[in-house]
Amino acid sequence: MSFFRLALRNLWHRPLRTALTVVGVGLAVAVAVSLIGFNLGYRESINVSIDKLGFQVMLMAKGCPYEAATMMLKGGTGLLYLPGTTFSAVKADPELAAITPIFVGVAQKEGSGIREDSGSSFAIVSGIDRSSFLAMKPWMTFSDRPGYQGGRWFADESSDEVVMGFEAAEYEQRKVGDRLYLSITPQGQTEPVSHEFKVVGILERTGTQDDGTVFMSLPLARRIFNRPDELTIVGVKLREFSGVALREFEKRWAALPEVQVVSLQQVKTTLVSLVETAQAMIGAVAAVAIIVAIIGVINTILMSVGERTGEIGIMKAIGAARGDIFQLIWLETLLICVSGGVLGCAGAVLGSRGVEEALRRLIDVGTRGSIVSITVEVLAGALVGAAVVGVFAGLYPAWRASSLRPVEAIREGE
Amino acid sequence: MNTPINQVCSTSQDPHLIEANNLKRWYTRGSETVKALDGVSLIVPPGQLISILGPSGSGKTTLINLLSCLDAPDDGELKFAGRDVRGMGEEALTEIRRGRLGFVFQKFHLLPSLSVRENVELPLLFLGRAPDQNFTDEVLGLVDLRDRAEHLPRELSGGQMQRVAIARALITRPPLLIADEPTGNLDRVNGEAVFNLFRRLVREQGKTVIITTHNLALGYLADRVITLEDGRILREETGRH
């Protein structure tokens, strides 16, 4: 028999109460772990998504930069367009390392999809200049999974070839060589026009907005959307990317009446700060849950001490010193908290996918990648945190139990 | 180490296990002070079975709490194993009684979550000693419960539970056993069995046993009978064994 085993036996002797307290701690830990996992995962996801845009600066039509940024990161509607001359003008900037024009449009998939629920969905269509676009995103490769082999880029002059992002192809259940039907409402018209395309390649998954995009040549996209000389974004890489260089670049080009220059660093900050508001609210909920759990643990142990007053008196009478009783009660508290910590960590890991879905429904996270990242460090931290809570939560009940005088405790227990 | 119980449980080398002189203990109940013990003097030599008799409220339990160092007197002198315990705090009193004293309660007070064996070995945990399986078996054999070692207290009868409590009191090999109304919750047959066990411990192992009881017939089977009334010793007699 050891104090550890004795503490376990005591907890086991009141299984329902112990289980409920452990679950209470577990819930608080699960909320905290999920929140921290979301915080880490979201920042990482934003970083990956933005870094994989390939460019450092975007030129876009004046409007809400956040909306523009999220549109680039996960797709969206309400697009604004720049005149094509912007690209020609900016291309001459001496500080440029690379530049690419991008046209983004939204097509309806009405009647085109195999899936029943595809009738009401949209497809993001990107018209790109293949060579400059790929120079910015050299990691884009074709998938060679079954049915996806033999992929290639569309011919620049082609009028019906498209390349699909991995998720777009998976969602539409398209393979290389299949046909893709999109309904597009051209500029100036009210009725959509159906187009038939040939899928010539399906890209490997990148974890970014590109996975859900249908790529075609820039001239083709402009033509079918009836915006022959317009662009959505001009992506730019500077020779030297620094705050000073960016400000200088912004100064040179923000003067254009319809253009805004958005640094992707700013976009990161904007997105993170927007979500931080939601995080603060969830954090407050987690803090309340933790406080309630601590109070629950203290209450449970105090109740247990109250019920076992006589037992504690007996233990003292048969030789237990104050330190022995303190150690026993403190161990019981610690065991409850650590068990709750383990349960909470397991719950958070198993439920992380659900948490991610819930968060995506709750807030516009602005990225496609996984936004909950529960690492070993987070789990270890949560367990240590639960143990620390146990250490402190156990102090008062343990002190109270150890302070009982044996004669009075035995009398009270009878 | 597997030492027979009748060799290790030898009597103390001290001439007297307990020396109490003019012990007083009072409690405050509202504005009233109640004298639970009012000048009790007593010497407990090794190897005796002593009964403390008296009606409820006569001070039996108060006296036994003082003699077992569970409580400290308000006045008077009390020496336990030669050490003066006056003014000692709870921790010091715990140190005094640890390993030197086995306690048996009227209501057995076994830990319900522990088996018979674990209950018996519990005092060793507080002494920091590893249990000696053979010795535990020997003690359980002495109280005739070896076959119940792995049972839980709720699976035992009252008499069996009291015998477990006696085994628990013996596990640290103390020279002195103090039992507060040990037969109070038992029927006549079990009460006599427990009392006879105490007598065996005194006769065969030289232990000292002090018990309080309401049962005069059993109480007078002791070596020495002390009758209390209103916190004082009314009379002290030799038993009729």
Side-chain angles (χ1 to χ4, degrees):
Chain A
M1 178 65 65
S2 63
F3 281 101
F4 181 78
R5 204 164 158 203
L6 183 56
L8 270 182
R9 289 293 190 86
N10 287 336
L11 293 174
W12 193 247
H13 189 61
R14 295 163 179 84
L16 183 64
R17 186 189 301 167
T18 302
L20 287 174
T21 315
V22 167
V23 168
V25 176
L27 280 174
V29 170
V31 170
V33 167
S34 300
L35 182 72
I36 295 166
F38 170 54
N39 196 21
L40 289 176
Y42 180 68
R43 283 169 196 272
E44 198 180 308
S45 175
I46 290 283
N47 281 338
V48 168
S49 293
I50 288 183
D51 291 345
K52 285 207 167 176
L53 278 175
F55 36 82
Q56 304 150 337
V57 184
M58 294 188 298
L59 280 85
M60 53 178 58
K62 277 187 173 158
C64 172
Y66 169 69
E67 194 173 299
T70 52
M71 182 272 293
M72 280 308 295
L73 290 171
K74 73 179 187 75
T77 53
L79 296 161
L80 298 169
Y81 293 92
L82 288 166
T85 50
T86 308
F87 174 72
S88 323
V90 176
K91 198 177 176 183
D93 191 292
E95 293 304 315
L96 282 191
I99 185 167
T100 188
I102 302 169
F103 180 96
V104 180
V106 179
Q108 283 178 298
K109 293 190 289 188
E110 194 172 354
S112 65
I114 289 169
R115 293 169 64 109
E116 284 179 8
D117 60 351
S118 65
S120 60
S121 59
F122 296 88
I124 304 297
V125 175
S126 246
I128 56 170
D129 172 56
R130 198 182 55 173
S131 59
S132 62
F133 187 78
L134 289 178
M136 294 253 188
K137 304 191 184 202
W139 53 82
M140 287 181 100
T141 55
F142 288 101
S143 175
D144 58 357
R145 295 179 195 208
Y148 292 2
Q149 296 102 329
R152 62 169 175 82
W153 280 99
F154 45 77
D156 289 336
E157 66 284 358
S158 152
S159 59
D160 69 343
E161 290 180 350
V162 294
V163 167
M164 297 182 81
F166 188 88
E167 283 178 16
E170 209 173 39
Y171 188 78
E172 287 297 309
Q173 298 181 19
R174 300 289 122 166
K175 292 182 175 157
V176 172
D178 284 352
R179 312 304 291 184
L180 177 70
Y181 302 92
L182 295 175
S183 294
I184 291 164
T185 308
Q187 161 76 1
Q189 293 182 31
T190 52
E191 289 303 312
V193 178
S194 285
H195 294 271
E196 182 182 339
F197 300 96
K198 182 183 176 189
V199 180
V200 295
I202 293 170
L203 296 167
E204 190 53 86
R205 191 192 290 275
T206 61
T208 68
Q209 75 291 345
D210 291 336
D211 293 342
T213 303
V214 177
F215 294 95
M216 60 181 65
S217 74
L218 182 59
L220 175 59
R222 280 171 154 175
R223 181 164 57 76
I224 60 178
F225 281 93
N226 193 28
R227 291 181 182 271
D229 195 31
E230 290 181 3
L231 292 171
T232 316
I233 288 163
V234 175
V236 169
K237 251 186 187 171
L238 297 175
R239 282 181 203 283
E240 180 208 337
F241 185 65
S242 64
V244 176
L246 181 67
R247 274 195 294 280
E248 288 296 317
F249 181 82
E250 201 173 342
K251 208 183 287 175
R252 286 197 291 278
W253 299 109
L256 291 175
E258 60 284 283
V259 172
Q260 67 175 336
V261 179
V262 178
S263 145
L264 292 178
Q265 194 56 45
Q266 288 172 329
V267 173
K268 278 185 197 178
T269 311
T270 309
L271 287 175
V272 168
S273 68
L274 278 165
V275 176
E276 269 172 357
T277 311
Q279 281 179 328
M281 286 171 63
I282 302 168
V285 173
V288 170
I290 289 168
I291 291 167
V292 169
I294 292 172
I295 293 170
V297 170
I298 294 174
N299 185 44
T300 301
I301 298 294
L302 280 178
M303 276 172 69
S304 170
V305 166
E307 282 174 9
R308 289 153 59 200
T309 302
E311 198 175 298
I312 290 165
I314 300 303
M315 286 195 280
K316 284 193 155 189
I318 63 173
R322 281 187 73 159
D324 295 330
I325 301 296
F326 187 94
Q327 186 181 351
L328 179 65
I329 302 297
W330 187 70
L331 254 176
E332 287 180 19
T333 320
L334 199 60
L335 276 169
I336 283 182
C337 289
V338 172
S339 306
V342 171
L343 183 74
C345 286
V349 169
L350 295 174
S352 59
R353 202 168 179 83
V355 169
E356 182 158 344
E357 285 305 312
L359 284 170
R360 283 189 186 281
R361 281 182 197 170
L362 197 68
I363 49 176
D364 183 1
V365 296
T367 176
R368 271 177 174 275
S370 177
I371 56 164
V372 179
S373 168
I374 298 174
T375 60
V376 174
E377 289 81 4
V378 170
L379 294 176
L383 283 179
V384 170
V388 169
V389 164
V391 165
F392 287 103
L395 287 178
Y396 176 64
W399 172 79
R400 199 163 140 172
S402 65
S403 302
L404 290 170
R405 297 186 62 204
V407 172
E408 287 157 15
I410 294 168
R411 198 180 300 142
E412 207 176 305
E414 288 175 346
Chain B
M1 189 179 72
N2 181 16
T3 316
I5 191 169
N6 58 357
Q7 285 180 27
V8 288
C9 297
S10 60
T11 56
S12 163
Q13 297 304 306
D14 298 317
H16 303 306
L17 281 176
I18 299 172
E19 289 178 61
N21 188 22
N22 199 26
L23 288 184
K24 291 183 180 174
R25 184 78 172 98
W26 53 79
Y27 302 103
T28 308
R29 193 182 293 151
S31 57
E32 189 190 359
T33 301
V34 179
K35 286 183 178 174
L37 221 54
D38 189 17
V40 170
S41 298
L42 180 70
I43 286 177
V44 179
Q48 270 194 352
L49 173 59
I50 302 172
S51 288
I52 299 174
L53 307 180
S56 290
S58 59
K60 299 191 298 293
T61 299
T62 305
L63 176 61
I64 224 161
N65 285 341
L66 293 180
L67 297 182
S68 57
C69 292
L70 286 175
D71 200 3
D74 291 310
D75 198 8
E77 189 183 64
L78 178 63
K79 281 186 179 173
F80 190 100
R83 288 183 65 183
D84 192 348
V85 301
R86 269 184 308 180
M88 277 189 176
E90 193 199 315
E91 285 300 279
L93 290 174
T94 304
E95 280 307 313
I96 288 278
R97 67 175 178 269
R98 265 149 76 117
R100 294 192 180 92
L101 170 72
F103 214 111
V104 180
F105 304 90
Q106 178 181 358
K107 292 182 180 168
F108 329 130
H109 291 303
L110 303 177
L111 266 60
S113 57
L114 303 184
S115 68
V116 165
R117 178 182 296 281
E118 288 165 334
N119 263 293
V120 169
E121 290 175 344
L122 187 62
L124 298 174
L125 173 69
F126 304 130
L127 284 174
R129 288 192 210 152
D132 176 346
Q133 183 99 1
N134 293 329
F135 185 66
T136 305
D137 285 341
E138 197 176 329
V139 171
L140 283 171
L142 185 74
V143 296
D144 201 20
L145 283 173
R146 199 178 292 186
D147 58 334
R148 298 284 177 142
E150 308 312 323
H151 286 236
L152 288 171
R154 65 167 181 268
E155 296 164 338
L156 304 179
S157 68
Q160 287 172 325
M161 282 198 268
Q162 193 59 295
R163 281 185 277 144
V164 175
I166 293 168
R168 180 177 67 185
L170 290 171
I171 197 72
T172 58
R173 303 172 164 109
L176 174 63
L177 252 67
I178 291 185
D180 189 10
E181 299 277 3
T183 59
N185 269 14
L186 304 179
D187 57 28
R188 190 180 59 82
V189 174
N190 277 307
E192 283 176 7
V194 165
F195 199 87
N196 287 333
L197 181 59
F198 285 136
R199 290 183 61 159
R200 275 180 61 205
L201 290 170
V202 174
R203 300 285 173 271
E204 295 170 14
Q205 298 174 22
K207 288 194 180 299
T208 301
V209 179
I210 304 173
I211 66 163
T212 66
T213 181
H214 278 101
N215 187 329
L216 296 180
L218 281 180
Y220 274 96
L221 292 176
D223 299 324
R224 208 168 134 197
V225 182
I226 296 168
T227 306
L228 289 183
E229 192 176 80
D230 295 332
R232 291 167 178 268
I233 293 181
L234 183 68
R235 60 180 168 270
E236 192 171 339
E237 305 157 83
T238 305
R240 299 165 193 158
H241 56 284

